[in-house]
Amino acid sequence: MEIVRGRAPEGTPTQVRADTFTGTVWGDPVLPATDGTTIGSVTFTPGARTFWHSHTDGQLLVVTAGLGWVCTEGGAPEVVRAGDVVWVPPGEQHWHGGTTETIMTHLAVSLGPTVWADEVAQHDYLSREGS
Ligand code: MN
């Protein structure tokens, strides 16, 4: 058994996630990657989100703070808030992030490799508004 107290091991600085994210995104590795599973806490500032991507073996998101959006390809962004749990099936194209006005932090348990695609266009990011 291993108990992680709140975030990454002491002395591990919070990472800035840039290459496959839009806006300012911070990441804390919660547990080291084992057998292809990555477990991290990710905070999206307002307006920040992932690029479009999928997870080879799926992904579990547990929203731990704030209010954000998740979106599956072909759908509209849906609101998630602290306490919500999202299961993304293997291979499903999607993105997740904050709303335009709020931060969102989630624990992300990613199973297998992440396959990154294009940036989420502003028009698609805002497609919930006015709908
Ligand atoms: Mn994902």
mmCIF file with all atom_site columns, all heavy atoms in Angstrom, residues 92-114:
data_model
loop_
_atom_site.group_PDB
_atom_site.id
_atom_site.type_symbol
_atom_site.label_atom_id
_atom_site.label_alt_id
_atom_site.label_comp_id
_atom_site.label_asym_id
_atom_site.label_entity_id
_atom_site.label_seq_id
_atom_site.pdbx_PDB_ins_code
_atom_site.Cartn_x
_atom_site.Cartn_y
_atom_site.Cartn_z
_atom_site.occupancy
_atom_site.B_iso_or_equiv
_atom_site.pdbx_formal_charge
_atom_site.auth_seq_id
_atom_site.auth_comp_id
_atom_site.auth_asym_id
_atom_site.auth_atom_id
_atom_site.pdbx_PDB_model_num
ATOM 1   N N   . GLU A 1 92  ? -11.787 6.628  -28.106 1.00 0.00 ? 92  GLU A N   1
ATOM 2   C CA  . GLU A 1 92  ? -12.763 7.702  -28.346 1.00 0.00 ? 92  GLU A CA  1
ATOM 3   C C   . GLU A 1 92  ? -12.068 9.054  -28.379 1.00 0.00 ? 92  GLU A C   1
ATOM 4   O O   . GLU A 1 92  ? -11.400 9.461  -27.425 1.00 0.00 ? 92  GLU A O   1
ATOM 5   C CB  . GLU A 1 92  ? -13.844 7.696  -27.263 1.00 0.00 ? 92  GLU A CB  1
ATOM 6   C CG  . GLU A 1 92  ? -14.940 8.725  -27.499 1.00 0.00 ? 92  GLU A CG  1
ATOM 7   C CD  . GLU A 1 92  ? -16.084 8.578  -26.504 1.00 0.00 ? 92  GLU A CD  1
ATOM 8   O OE1 . GLU A 1 92  ? -16.818 7.586  -26.587 1.00 0.00 ? 92  GLU A OE1 1
ATOM 9   O OE2 . GLU A 1 92  ? -16.202 9.431  -25.616 1.00 0.00 ? 92  GLU A OE2 1
ATOM 10  N N   . GLN A 1 93  ? -12.269 9.792  -29.471 1.00 0.00 ? 93  GLN A N   1
ATOM 11  C CA  . GLN A 1 93  ? -11.650 11.107 -29.653 1.00 0.00 ? 93  GLN A CA  1
ATOM 12  C C   . GLN A 1 93  ? -12.370 12.129 -28.775 1.00 0.00 ? 93  GLN A C   1
ATOM 13  O O   . GLN A 1 93  ? -13.605 12.211 -28.799 1.00 0.00 ? 93  GLN A O   1
ATOM 14  C CB  . GLN A 1 93  ? -11.752 11.499 -31.135 1.00 0.00 ? 93  GLN A CB  1
ATOM 15  C CG  . GLN A 1 93  ? -10.855 12.629 -31.539 1.00 0.00 ? 93  GLN A CG  1
ATOM 16  C CD  . GLN A 1 93  ? -9.417  12.188 -31.760 1.00 0.00 ? 93  GLN A CD  1
ATOM 17  O OE1 . GLN A 1 93  ? -9.018  11.100 -31.404 1.00 0.00 ? 93  GLN A OE1 1
ATOM 18  N NE2 . GLN A 1 93  ? -8.635  13.061 -32.344 1.00 0.00 ? 93  GLN A NE2 1
ATOM 19  N N   . HIS A 1 94  ? -11.634 12.926 -28.015 1.00 0.00 ? 94  HIS A N   1
ATOM 20  C CA  . HIS A 1 94  ? -12.263 13.834 -27.051 1.00 0.00 ? 94  HIS A CA  1
ATOM 21  C C   . HIS A 1 94  ? -11.277 14.915 -26.609 1.00 0.00 ? 94  HIS A C   1
ATOM 22  O O   . HIS A 1 94  ? -10.091 14.864 -26.935 1.00 0.00 ? 94  HIS A O   1
ATOM 23  C CB  . HIS A 1 94  ? -12.738 13.039 -25.824 1.00 0.00 ? 94  HIS A CB  1
ATOM 24  C CG  . HIS A 1 94  ? -11.595 12.518 -25.001 1.00 0.00 ? 94  HIS A CG  1
ATOM 25  N ND1 . HIS A 1 94  ? -10.812 11.462 -25.412 1.00 0.00 ? 94  HIS A ND1 1
ATOM 26  C CD2 . HIS A 1 94  ? -11.072 12.929 -23.815 1.00 0.00 ? 94  HIS A CD2 1
ATOM 27  C CE1 . HIS A 1 94  ? -9.879  11.241 -24.503 1.00 0.00 ? 94  HIS A CE1 1
ATOM 28  N NE2 . HIS A 1 94  ? -10.006 12.115 -23.534 1.00 0.00 ? 94  HIS A NE2 1
ATOM 29  N N   . TRP A 1 95  ? -11.800 15.865 -25.837 1.00 0.00 ? 95  TRP A N   1
ATOM 30  C CA  . TRP A 1 95  ? -10.925 16.822 -25.145 1.00 0.00 ? 95  TRP A CA  1
ATOM 31  C C   . TRP A 1 95  ? -11.535 17.144 -23.785 1.00 0.00 ? 95  TRP A C   1
ATOM 32  O O   . TRP A 1 95  ? -12.712 16.894 -23.550 1.00 0.00 ? 95  TRP A O   1
ATOM 33  C CB  . TRP A 1 95  ? -10.674 18.094 -25.971 1.00 0.00 ? 95  TRP A CB  1
ATOM 34  C CG  . TRP A 1 95  ? -11.880 18.892 -26.378 1.00 0.00 ? 95  TRP A CG  1
ATOM 35  C CD1 . TRP A 1 95  ? -12.544 18.833 -27.581 1.00 0.00 ? 95  TRP A CD1 1
ATOM 36  C CD2 . TRP A 1 95  ? -12.555 19.904 -25.613 1.00 0.00 ? 95  TRP A CD2 1
ATOM 37  N NE1 . TRP A 1 95  ? -13.589 19.720 -27.592 1.00 0.00 ? 95  TRP A NE1 1
ATOM 38  C CE2 . TRP A 1 95  ? -13.626 20.397 -26.397 1.00 0.00 ? 95  TRP A CE2 1
ATOM 39  C CE3 . TRP A 1 95  ? -12.379 20.443 -24.339 1.00 0.00 ? 95  TRP A CE3 1
ATOM 40  C CZ2 . TRP A 1 95  ? -14.503 21.390 -25.950 1.00 0.00 ? 95  TRP A CZ2 1
ATOM 41  C CZ3 . TRP A 1 95  ? -13.247 21.435 -23.897 1.00 0.00 ? 95  TRP A CZ3 1
ATOM 42  C CH2 . TRP A 1 95  ? -14.289 21.903 -24.705 1.00 0.00 ? 95  TRP A CH2 1
ATOM 43  N N   . HIS A 1 96  ? -10.714 17.723 -22.885 1.00 0.00 ? 96  HIS A N   1
ATOM 44  C CA  . HIS A 1 96  ? -11.192 18.182 -21.595 1.00 0.00 ? 96  HIS A CA  1
ATOM 45  C C   . HIS A 1 96  ? -10.462 19.442 -21.197 1.00 0.00 ? 96  HIS A C   1
ATOM 46  O O   . HIS A 1 96  ? -9.310  19.639 -21.610 1.00 0.00 ? 96  HIS A O   1
ATOM 47  C CB  . HIS A 1 96  ? -11.107 17.118 -20.489 1.00 0.00 ? 96  HIS A CB  1
ATOM 48  C CG  . HIS A 1 96  ? -10.106 16.018 -20.678 1.00 0.00 ? 96  HIS A CG  1
ATOM 49  N ND1 . HIS A 1 96  ? -9.053  15.801 -19.828 1.00 0.00 ? 96  HIS A ND1 1
ATOM 50  C CD2 . HIS A 1 96  ? -10.004 15.054 -21.634 1.00 0.00 ? 96  HIS A CD2 1
ATOM 51  C CE1 . HIS A 1 96  ? -8.355  14.753 -20.217 1.00 0.00 ? 96  HIS A CE1 1
ATOM 52  N NE2 . HIS A 1 96  ? -8.896  14.278 -21.327 1.00 0.00 ? 96  HIS A NE2 1
ATOM 53  N N   . GLY A 1 97  ? -11.134 20.302 -20.379 1.00 0.00 ? 97  GLY A N   1
ATOM 54  C CA  . GLY A 1 97  ? -10.496 21.540 -19.976 1.00 0.00 ? 97  GLY A CA  1
ATOM 55  C C   . GLY A 1 97  ? -11.359 22.359 -19.050 1.00 0.00 ? 97  GLY A C   1
ATOM 56  O O   . GLY A 1 97  ? -12.407 21.912 -18.584 1.00 0.00 ? 97  GLY A O   1
ATOM 57  N N   . GLY A 1 98  ? -10.884 23.574 -18.745 1.00 0.00 ? 98  GLY A N   1
ATOM 58  C CA  . GLY A 1 98  ? -11.686 24.515 -17.979 1.00 0.00 ? 98  GLY A CA  1
ATOM 59  C C   . GLY A 1 98  ? -12.765 25.116 -18.860 1.00 0.00 ? 98  GLY A C   1
ATOM 60  O O   . GLY A 1 98  ? -12.796 24.889 -20.072 1.00 0.00 ? 98  GLY A O   1
ATOM 61  N N   . THR A 1 99  ? -13.678 25.874 -18.237 1.00 0.00 ? 99  THR A N   1
ATOM 62  C CA  . THR A 1 99  ? -14.592 26.672 -19.046 1.00 0.00 ? 99  THR A CA  1
ATOM 63  C C   . THR A 1 99  ? -13.889 27.996 -19.363 1.00 0.00 ? 99  THR A C   1
ATOM 64  O O   . THR A 1 99  ? -12.741 28.217 -18.947 1.00 0.00 ? 99  THR A O   1
ATOM 65  C CB  . THR A 1 99  ? -15.916 26.962 -18.309 1.00 0.00 ? 99  THR A CB  1
ATOM 66  O OG1 . THR A 1 99  ? -15.672 27.934 -17.280 1.00 0.00 ? 99  THR A OG1 1
ATOM 67  C CG2 . THR A 1 99  ? -16.501 25.697 -17.687 1.00 0.00 ? 99  THR A CG2 1
ATOM 68  N N   . THR A 1 100 ? -14.563 28.873 -20.057 1.00 0.00 ? 100 THR A N   1
ATOM 69  C CA  . THR A 1 100 ? -13.958 30.175 -20.366 1.00 0.00 ? 100 THR A CA  1
ATOM 70  C C   . THR A 1 100 ? -13.695 30.982 -19.098 1.00 0.00 ? 100 THR A C   1
ATOM 71  O O   . THR A 1 100 ? -12.838 31.867 -19.094 1.00 0.00 ? 100 THR A O   1
ATOM 72  C CB  . THR A 1 100 ? -14.874 30.997 -21.286 1.00 0.00 ? 100 THR A CB  1
ATOM 73  O OG1 . THR A 1 100 ? -16.183 31.049 -20.694 1.00 0.00 ? 100 THR A OG1 1
ATOM 74  C CG2 . THR A 1 100 ? -14.957 30.368 -22.664 1.00 0.00 ? 100 THR A CG2 1
ATOM 75  N N   . GLU A 1 101 ? -14.445 30.661 -18.014 1.00 0.00 ? 101 GLU A N   1
ATOM 76  C CA  . GLU A 1 101 ? -14.386 31.512 -16.816 1.00 0.00 ? 101 GLU A CA  1
ATOM 77  C C   . GLU A 1 101 ? -13.912 30.803 -15.558 1.00 0.00 ? 101 GLU A C   1
ATOM 78  O O   . GLU A 1 101 ? -13.784 31.444 -14.518 1.00 0.00 ? 101 GLU A O   1
ATOM 79  C CB  . GLU A 1 101 ? -15.785 32.109 -16.548 1.00 0.00 ? 101 GLU A CB  1
ATOM 80  C CG  . GLU A 1 101 ? -16.275 33.004 -17.670 1.00 0.00 ? 101 GLU A CG  1
ATOM 81  C CD  . GLU A 1 101 ? -17.667 33.549 -17.408 1.00 0.00 ? 101 GLU A CD  1
ATOM 82  O OE1 . GLU A 1 101 ? -18.441 32.868 -16.709 1.00 0.00 ? 101 GLU A OE1 1
ATOM 83  O OE2 . GLU A 1 101 ? -17.952 34.656 -17.897 1.00 0.00 ? 101 GLU A OE2 1
ATOM 84  N N   . THR A 1 102 ? -13.687 29.485 -15.627 1.00 0.00 ? 102 THR A N   1
ATOM 85  C CA  . THR A 1 102 ? -13.385 28.740 -14.395 1.00 0.00 ? 102 THR A CA  1
ATOM 86  C C   . THR A 1 102 ? -12.227 27.763 -14.596 1.00 0.00 ? 102 THR A C   1
ATOM 87  O O   . THR A 1 102 ? -12.021 27.230 -15.682 1.00 0.00 ? 102 THR A O   1
ATOM 88  C CB  . THR A 1 102 ? -14.611 27.918 -13.929 1.00 0.00 ? 102 THR A CB  1
ATOM 89  O OG1 . THR A 1 102 ? -14.962 26.987 -14.958 1.00 0.00 ? 102 THR A OG1 1
ATOM 90  C CG2 . THR A 1 102 ? -15.796 28.813 -13.610 1.00 0.00 ? 102 THR A CG2 1
ATOM 91  N N   . ILE A 1 103 ? -11.524 27.514 -13.498 1.00 0.00 ? 103 ILE A N   1
ATOM 92  C CA  . ILE A 1 103 ? -10.530 26.447 -13.502 1.00 0.00 ? 103 ILE A CA  1
ATOM 93  C C   . ILE A 1 103 ? -11.228 25.102 -13.338 1.00 0.00 ? 103 ILE A C   1
ATOM 94  O O   . ILE A 1 103 ? -12.372 25.025 -12.889 1.00 0.00 ? 103 ILE A O   1
ATOM 95  C CB  . ILE A 1 103 ? -9.487  26.596 -12.372 1.00 0.00 ? 103 ILE A CB  1
ATOM 96  C CG1 . ILE A 1 103 ? -10.137 26.339 -10.991 1.00 0.00 ? 103 ILE A CG1 1
ATOM 97  C CG2 . ILE A 1 103 ? -8.810  27.947 -12.402 1.00 0.00 ? 103 ILE A CG2 1
ATOM 98  C CD1 . ILE A 1 103 ? -9.179  25.824 -9.958  1.00 0.00 ? 103 ILE A CD1 1
ATOM 99  N N   . MET A 1 104 ? -10.527 24.046 -13.726 1.00 0.00 ? 104 MET A N   1
ATOM 100 C CA  . MET A 1 104 ? -11.007 22.694 -13.454 1.00 0.00 ? 104 MET A CA  1
ATOM 101 C C   . MET A 1 104 ? -9.787  21.810 -13.188 1.00 0.00 ? 104 MET A C   1
ATOM 102 O O   . MET A 1 104 ? -8.808  21.852 -13.935 1.00 0.00 ? 104 MET A O   1
ATOM 103 C CB  . MET A 1 104 ? -11.806 22.138 -14.634 1.00 0.00 ? 104 MET A CB  1
ATOM 104 C CG  . MET A 1 104 ? -12.538 20.815 -14.340 1.00 0.00 ? 104 MET A CG  1
ATOM 105 S SD  . MET A 1 104 ? -11.561 19.365 -14.776 1.00 0.00 ? 104 MET A SD  1
ATOM 106 C CE  . MET A 1 104 ? -11.766 19.333 -16.559 1.00 0.00 ? 104 MET A CE  1
ATOM 107 N N   . THR A 1 105 ? -9.849  21.071 -12.060 1.00 0.00 ? 105 THR A N   1
ATOM 108 C CA  . THR A 1 105 ? -8.792  20.114 -11.739 1.00 0.00 ? 105 THR A CA  1
ATOM 109 C C   . THR A 1 105 ? -9.379  18.710 -11.750 1.00 0.00 ? 105 THR A C   1
ATOM 110 O O   . THR A 1 105 ? -10.459 18.494 -11.188 1.00 0.00 ? 105 THR A O   1
ATOM 111 C CB  . THR A 1 105 ? -8.185  20.404 -10.353 1.00 0.00 ? 105 THR A CB  1
ATOM 112 O OG1 . THR A 1 105 ? -7.651  21.717 -10.336 1.00 0.00 ? 105 THR A OG1 1
ATOM 113 C CG2 . THR A 1 105 ? -7.084  19.400 -10.017 1.00 0.00 ? 105 THR A CG2 1
ATOM 114 N N   . HIS A 1 106 ? -8.709  17.797 -12.426 1.00 0.00 ? 106 HIS A N   1
ATOM 115 C CA  . HIS A 1 106 ? -9.143  16.400 -12.368 1.00 0.00 ? 106 HIS A CA  1
ATOM 116 C C   . HIS A 1 106 ? -7.958  15.484 -12.144 1.00 0.00 ? 106 HIS A C   1
ATOM 117 O O   . HIS A 1 106 ? -6.819  15.797 -12.507 1.00 0.00 ? 106 HIS A O   1
ATOM 118 C CB  . HIS A 1 106 ? -9.950  15.989 -13.591 1.00 0.00 ? 106 HIS A CB  1
ATOM 119 C CG  . HIS A 1 106 ? -9.230  16.049 -14.903 1.00 0.00 ? 106 HIS A CG  1
ATOM 120 N ND1 . HIS A 1 106 ? -7.934  15.613 -15.112 1.00 0.00 ? 106 HIS A ND1 1
ATOM 121 C CD2 . HIS A 1 106 ? -9.646  16.503 -16.119 1.00 0.00 ? 106 HIS A CD2 1
ATOM 122 C CE1 . HIS A 1 106 ? -7.598  15.778 -16.367 1.00 0.00 ? 106 HIS A CE1 1
ATOM 123 N NE2 . HIS A 1 106 ? -8.606  16.335 -17.007 1.00 0.00 ? 106 HIS A NE2 1
ATOM 124 N N   . LEU A 1 107 ? -8.264  14.369 -11.499 1.00 0.00 ? 107 LEU A N   1
ATOM 125 C CA  . LEU A 1 107 ? -7.321  13.251 -11.463 1.00 0.00 ? 107 LEU A CA  1
ATOM 126 C C   . LEU A 1 107 ? -7.546  12.469 -12.750 1.00 0.00 ? 107 LEU A C   1
ATOM 127 O O   . LEU A 1 107 ? -8.691  12.113 -13.064 1.00 0.00 ? 107 LEU A O   1
ATOM 128 C CB  . LEU A 1 107 ? -7.590  12.374 -10.249 1.00 0.00 ? 107 LEU A CB  1
ATOM 129 C CG  . LEU A 1 107 ? -6.612  11.216 -10.056 1.00 0.00 ? 107 LEU A CG  1
ATOM 130 C CD1 . LEU A 1 107 ? -5.269  11.736 -9.572  1.00 0.00 ? 107 LEU A CD1 1
ATOM 131 C CD2 . LEU A 1 107 ? -7.173  10.201 -9.065  1.00 0.00 ? 107 LEU A CD2 1
ATOM 132 N N   . ALA A 1 108 ? -6.501  12.254 -13.503 1.00 0.00 ? 108 ALA A N   1
ATOM 133 C CA  . ALA A 1 108 ? -6.612  11.528 -14.768 1.00 0.00 ? 108 ALA A CA  1
ATOM 134 C C   . ALA A 1 108 ? -5.866  10.200 -14.657 1.00 0.00 ? 108 ALA A C   1
ATOM 135 O O   . ALA A 1 108 ? -4.665  10.186 -14.371 1.00 0.00 ? 108 ALA A O   1
ATOM 136 C CB  . ALA A 1 108 ? -6.035  12.361 -15.913 1.00 0.00 ? 108 ALA A CB  1
ATOM 137 N N   . VAL A 1 109 ? -6.602  9.130  -14.852 1.00 0.00 ? 109 VAL A N   1
ATOM 138 C CA  . VAL A 1 109 ? -6.000  7.796  -14.892 1.00 0.00 ? 109 VAL A CA  1
ATOM 139 C C   . VAL A 1 109 ? -6.059  7.347  -16.348 1.00 0.00 ? 109 VAL A C   1
ATOM 140 O O   . VAL A 1 109 ? -7.135  7.011  -16.871 1.00 0.00 ? 109 VAL A O   1
ATOM 141 C CB  . VAL A 1 109 ? -6.762  6.810  -13.987 1.00 0.00 ? 109 VAL A CB  1
ATOM 142 C CG1 . VAL A 1 109 ? -6.099  5.432  -14.025 1.00 0.00 ? 109 VAL A CG1 1
ATOM 143 C CG2 . VAL A 1 109 ? -6.825  7.338  -12.549 1.00 0.00 ? 109 VAL A CG2 1
ATOM 144 N N   . SER A 1 110 ? -4.920  7.397  -17.006 1.00 0.00 ? 110 SER A N   1
ATOM 145 C CA  . SER A 1 110 ? -4.858  7.121  -18.443 1.00 0.00 ? 110 SER A CA  1
ATOM 146 C C   . SER A 1 110 ? -4.300  5.720  -18.661 1.00 0.00 ? 110 SER A C   1
ATOM 147 O O   . SER A 1 110 ? -3.214  5.393  -18.173 1.00 0.00 ? 110 SER A O   1
ATOM 148 C CB  . SER A 1 110 ? -3.970  8.152  -19.145 1.00 0.00 ? 110 SER A CB  1
ATOM 149 O OG  . SER A 1 110 ? -4.414  9.462  -18.842 1.00 0.00 ? 110 SER A OG  1
ATOM 150 N N   . LEU A 1 111 ? -5.049  4.921  -19.397 1.00 0.00 ? 111 LEU A N   1
ATOM 151 C CA  . LEU A 1 111 ? -4.689  3.524  -19.620 1.00 0.00 ? 111 LEU A CA  1
ATOM 152 C C   . LEU A 1 111 ? -4.123  3.365  -21.023 1.00 0.00 ? 111 LEU A C   1
ATOM 153 O O   . LEU A 1 111 ? -4.803  3.653  -22.016 1.00 0.00 ? 111 LEU A O   1
ATOM 154 C CB  . LEU A 1 111 ? -5.920  2.632  -19.434 1.00 0.00 ? 111 LEU A CB  1
ATOM 155 C CG  . LEU A 1 111 ? -6.685  2.847  -18.113 1.00 0.00 ? 111 LEU A CG  1
ATOM 156 C CD1 . LEU A 1 111 ? -7.908  1.948  -18.052 1.00 0.00 ? 111 LEU A CD1 1
ATOM 157 C CD2 . LEU A 1 111 ? -5.778  2.608  -16.923 1.00 0.00 ? 111 LEU A CD2 1
ATOM 158 N N   . GLY A 1 112 ? -2.888  2.954  -21.109 1.00 0.00 ? 112 GLY A N   1
ATOM 159 C CA  . GLY A 1 112 ? -2.242  2.795  -22.402 1.00 0.00 ? 112 GLY A CA  1
ATOM 160 C C   . GLY A 1 112 ? -1.800  4.135  -22.965 1.00 0.00 ? 112 GLY A C   1
ATOM 161 O O   . GLY A 1 112 ? -1.999  5.178  -22.344 1.00 0.00 ? 112 GLY A O   1
ATOM 162 N N   . PRO A 1 113 ? -1.200  4.110  -24.145 1.00 0.00 ? 113 PRO A N   1
ATOM 163 C CA  . PRO A 1 113 ? -0.684  5.343  -24.747 1.00 0.00 ? 113 PRO A CA  1
ATOM 164 C C   . PRO A 1 113 ? -1.794  6.336  -25.088 1.00 0.00 ? 113 PRO A C   1
ATOM 165 O O   . PRO A 1 113 ? -2.926  5.949  -25.367 1.00 0.00 ? 113 PRO A O   1
ATOM 166 C CB  . PRO A 1 113 ? -0.013  4.856  -26.041 1.00 0.00 ? 113 PRO A CB  1
ATOM 167 C CG  . PRO A 1 113 ? 0.214   3.392  -25.846 1.00 0.00 ? 113 PRO A CG  1
ATOM 168 C CD  . PRO A 1 113 ? -0.882  2.918  -24.940 1.00 0.00 ? 113 PRO A CD  1
ATOM 169 N N   . THR A 1 114 ? -1.440  7.633  -25.032 1.00 0.00 ? 114 THR A N   1
ATOM 170 C CA  . THR A 1 114 ? -2.339  8.692  -25.477 1.00 0.00 ? 114 THR A CA  1
ATOM 171 C C   . THR A 1 114 ? -1.968  9.049  -26.910 1.00 0.00 ? 114 THR A C   1
ATOM 172 O O   . THR A 1 114 ? -0.793  9.232  -27.223 1.00 0.00 ? 114 THR A O   1
ATOM 173 C CB  . THR A 1 114 ? -2.212  9.927  -24.575 1.00 0.00 ? 114 THR A CB  1
ATOM 174 O OG1 . THR A 1 114 ? -2.579  9.561  -23.244 1.00 0.00 ? 114 THR A OG1 1
ATOM 175 C CG2 . THR A 1 114 ? -3.114  11.058 -25.048 1.00 0.00 ? 114 THR A CG2 1
#
